[in-house]
């Protein structure tokens, strides 16, 4: 039915409807996510898992920094985080996120993910890089946090989990795969919300 309507439209009517389509849909195109990472295609640089995205917008370095800092302070909502560097050229943070992987009657399976998030600012471009990912089981992490001394707790790198699939859990089938999926979802969420921060007026 839609195809028939399109065919019988006069040239003038077609042009008017085309303009309306651009008016209604073009603004939403600006909100499209530039990168969508996938659990089956994890990026590796020099043997380490590294997620990197370039955001290109008509913004200067100062505005990129302002919007990035606002997002990190008010929207990211990690378990914990700290600014290591924050200036007109770059922002570097250490972030800890809690990922709830699985929950059932017998257990709550969660992992704490620690990573470095860096924003590098240039005129018209901001590059976000997430690297140095490490994971620790919920029980171990919370035991370490409650301890006054450093404990020798098992920890896994991003490559251990997402590439080599070294982590297993008796109560959770395909544990490494589920952690990978939760990680990719979290990173895609960060990318999407940074994109929104940069595209808004």
């Amino acid at each position: 039915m839609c195809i028939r309507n399109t065919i019988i439209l006069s040239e003038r009517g077609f042009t008017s409807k085309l303009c309306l389509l651009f008016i209604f849909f073009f603004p939403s195109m600006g909100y499209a996510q530039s990168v969508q990472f996938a659990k089956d295609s994890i990026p590796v640089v020099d043997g380490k898992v590294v997620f990197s995205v370039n955001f290109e917008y008509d913004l200067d370095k100062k505005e990129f920094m302002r919007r990035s800092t606002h997002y990190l302070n008010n929207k990211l909502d990690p378990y914990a985080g700290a600014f290591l560097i924050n200036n007109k050229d770059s922002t570097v943070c250490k972030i800890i996120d809690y990922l709830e992987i699985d929950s059932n009657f017998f257990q709550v399976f969660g992992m704490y993910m620690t990573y470095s998030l860096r924003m590098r600012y240039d005129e018209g471009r901001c590059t976000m890089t997430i690297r140095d990912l490490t994971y620790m089981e919920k029980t171990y992490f919370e035991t370490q946090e409650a301890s006054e001394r450093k404990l020798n707790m098992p920890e896994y790198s991003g490559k251990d989990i997402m590439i080599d699939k070294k982590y297993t859990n008796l109560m959770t089938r395909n544990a490494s795969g589920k952690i990978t999926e939760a990680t990719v979802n979290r990173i895609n969420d960060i990318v999407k919300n940074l994109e929104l921060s940069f595209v808004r007026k």
Side-chain angles (χ1 to χ4, degrees):
M1 189 67 184
C2 291
I3 294 174
R4 178 179 294 176
N5 287 343
T6 302
I7 291 172
I8 65 174
L9 280 172
S10 68
E11 183 177 346
R12 183 175 178 181
F14 178 74
T15 305
S16 299
K17 288 198 177 284
L18 190 61
C19 289
L20 284 172
L21 284 173
F22 273 104
I23 290 169
F24 284 112
F25 292 110
F26 185 76
S28 65
M29 290 169 65
Y31 291 83
Q33 191 171 337
S34 61
V35 171
Q36 182 79 36
F37 294 106
K39 63 180 181 180
D40 299 321
S41 182
I42 302 299
V44 176
V45 178
D46 296 330
K48 296 182 179 181
V49 173
V50 179
F51 296 91
S52 187
V53 179
N54 287 322
F55 299 98
E56 296 187 1
Y57 288 97
D58 187 21
L59 300 173
D60 60 22
K61 294 169 71 171
K62 182 178 179 181
E63 188 62 15
F64 270 126
M65 177 197 170
R66 186 187 72 79
R67 296 188 187 202
S68 297
T69 303
H70 181 268
Y71 167 72
L72 294 169
N73 272 325
N74 299 289
K75 303 291 184 181
L76 180 63
D77 193 28
Y79 172 78
F83 286 93
L84 306 179
I85 298 171
N86 195 28
N87 58 44
K88 64 182 179 65
D89 296 313
S90 64
T91 298
V92 180
C93 303
K94 182 179 179 181
I95 305 293
I96 302 173
D97 278 327
Y98 175 68
L99 306 176
E100 185 170 301
I101 312 302
D102 200 7
S103 180
N104 55 52
F105 180 77
F106 300 102
Q107 68 159 1
V108 174
F109 171 36
M111 298 288 277
Y112 284 88
M113 175 176 72
T114 302
Y115 55 93
S116 169
L117 186 153
R118 175 173 180 160
M119 311 292 291
R120 190 183 72 231
Y121 309 122
D122 296 295
E123 298 299 318
R125 174 183 286 189
C126 172
T127 301
M128 182 206 77
T129 304
I130 290 177
R131 63 188 311 142
D132 302 326
L133 292 94
T134 59
Y135 299 85
M136 188 178 290
E137 282 185 32
K138 179 180 186 295
T139 303
Y140 291 132
F141 183 92
E142 292 172 359
T143 300
Q144 173 64 76
E145 206 172 33
S147 175
E148 295 181 358
R149 61 188 180 86
K150 177 69 175 174
L151 304 175
N152 186 24
M153 295 297 191
E155 195 171 57
Y156 299 85
S157 70
K159 184 173 180 292
D160 290 337
I161 298 287
M162 291 184 270
I163 304 298
D164 300 330
K165 311 293 184 185
K166 288 184 176 179
Y167 179 81
T168 58
N169 184 295
L170 289 175
M171 302 294 289
T172 305
R173 186 179 179 184
N174 187 26
S176 284
K178 289 183 177 181
I179 297 167
T180 300
E181 184 174 7
T183 299
V184 169
N185 288 343
R186 173 57 166 163
I187 291 172
N188 282 335
D189 187 61
I190 292 171
V191 173
K192 178 187 72 176
N193 285 297
L194 276 170
E195 187 105 51
L196 290 172
S197 297
F198 297 145
V199 79
R200 285 176 177 149
K201 299 299 183 183

